[in-house]
Amino acid sequence: SQQGEEDPQALSIQEGENATMNCSYKTSINNLQWYRQNSGRGLVHLILIRSNEREKHSGRLRVTLDTSKKSSSLLITASRAADTASYFCPFRGQAGTALIFGKGTTLSVSS
Amino acid sequence: GAGVSQSPRYKVAKRGQDVALRCDPISGHVSLFWYQQALGQGPEFLTYFQNEAQLDKSGLPSDRFFAERPEGSVSTLKIQRTQQEDSAVYLCASSLTGSANTGELFFGEGSRLTVL
């Protein structure tokens, strides 16, 4: 399968805690993106990390990329109830094809 | 407009009816994508346009599905003779770049199709 895997599939934490989710992929990449989807809504782009970058920050988000292991992680610090959503890291399949999405990680943050 | 607009937001169709879903991408965006998302699943790729050219339709599940973007802007996804398994959320996304997979995607809110 060319699909990547987000891990874990589901994550439940308390407000204020940190949330870490991981993503593995199988093909070479130019960049890797993370998206968030709130229930019943469209997806929203969170952050993009290029293949020559190892870490990137945006507000409470920290993304790491390990191209040797074909994996990435997304850390959300000091989580809030509003962070409750599904998180995806789509990746490129074959050259010239559109991004492929896995099932995502469903994060629940309770207050 | 400010974002990607999809209509209708909700559509209920009787099995066998034809439906048309509209996507109005961000002005100037070159690439347009359609994805299908079943409940609890991630979006699955259907088709991709670069301007008016349909470069990839490998994800369309059957010949009942047809998409067009005749003037390189608004796109319509048409489903003929709908079946219950077509029930899903249909997401449209656009991207400024002509690349299929490196640009940031801007998604609409989706059209939820329920086939009875």
Side-chain angles (χ1 to χ4, degrees):
Chain A
S1 166
Q2 290 183 327
Q3 281 198 325
E5 300 274 342
E6 290 98 350
D7 174 63
Q9 287 197 355
L11 180 60
S12 294
I13 59 175
Q14 298 285 321
E15 256 190 335
E17 293 180 338
N18 296 341
T20 299
M21 53 204 85
N22 305 293
C23 166
S24 62
Y25 56 93
K26 299 186 187 226
T27 60
S28 63
I29 58 170
N30 296 320
N31 61 55
L32 187 136
Q33 304 177 45
W34 283 88
Y35 287 81
R36 181 189 74 223
Q37 184 178 34
N38 291 91
S39 181
R41 308 296 298 275
L43 285 80
V44 174
H45 181 267
L46 291 177
I47 195 166
L48 179 152
I49 185 166
R50 301 191 188 285
S51 59
N52 61 354
E53 296 176 311
R54 291 295 168 261
E55 188 171 309
K56 195 164 184 179
H57 296 254
S58 176
R60 293 184 297 113
L61 305 180
R62 173 182 165 238
V63 169
T64 62
L65 179 64
D66 187 334
T67 53
S68 66
K69 295 182 180 177
K70 289 188 165 60
S71 68
S72 174
S73 68
L74 172 67
L75 167 68
I76 304 173
T77 60
S79 62
R80 306 167 182 168
D83 295 327
T84 295
S86 293
Y87 292 81
F88 298 91
C89 64
F91 70 100
R92 186 186 71 172
Q94 295 177 353
T97 62
L99 291 176
I100 297 172
F101 288 79
K103 292 185 178 181
T105 292
T106 299
L107 173 65
S108 297
V109 182
S110 53
S111 53
Chain B
V4 177
S5 178
Q6 292 189 246
S7 62
R9 284 293 315 277
Y10 304 93
K11 176 68 178 178
V12 178
K14 291 183 179 178
R15 191 175 56 178
Q17 281 186 332
D18 297 349
V19 299
L21 308 176
R22 175 188 169 106
C23 174
D24 204 335
I26 294 172
S27 179
H29 276 202
V30 173
S31 298
L32 184 145
F33 306 81
W34 284 99
Y35 286 85
Q36 179 191 59
Q37 187 173 27
L39 191 63
Q41 303 295 314
E44 291 209 10
F45 169 74
L46 294 178
T47 187
Y48 153 59
F49 291 85
Q50 186 182 91
N51 297 308
E52 69 277 5
Q54 189 175 21
L55 297 189
D56 188 350
K57 55 182 181 179
S58 62
L60 296 176
S62 76
D63 58 8
R64 296 185 296 103
F65 287 71
F66 172 76
E68 60 182 4
R69 192 186 185 198
E71 298 178 357
S73 178
V74 171
S75 176
T76 303
L77 177 66
K78 297 178 180 177
I79 309 173
Q80 297 177 323
R81 305 181 302 281
T82 52
Q83 306 289 317
Q84 285 188 322
E85 62 263 27
D86 300 334
S87 295
V89 176
Y90 291 85
L91 295 166
C92 176
S94 68
S95 175
L96 182 61
T97 75
S99 165
N101 51 49
T102 58
E104 175 184 344
L105 298 181
F106 293 81
F107 282 83
E109 295 290 327
S111 290
R112 180 178 296 276
L113 172 65
T114 303
V115 182
L116 302 177

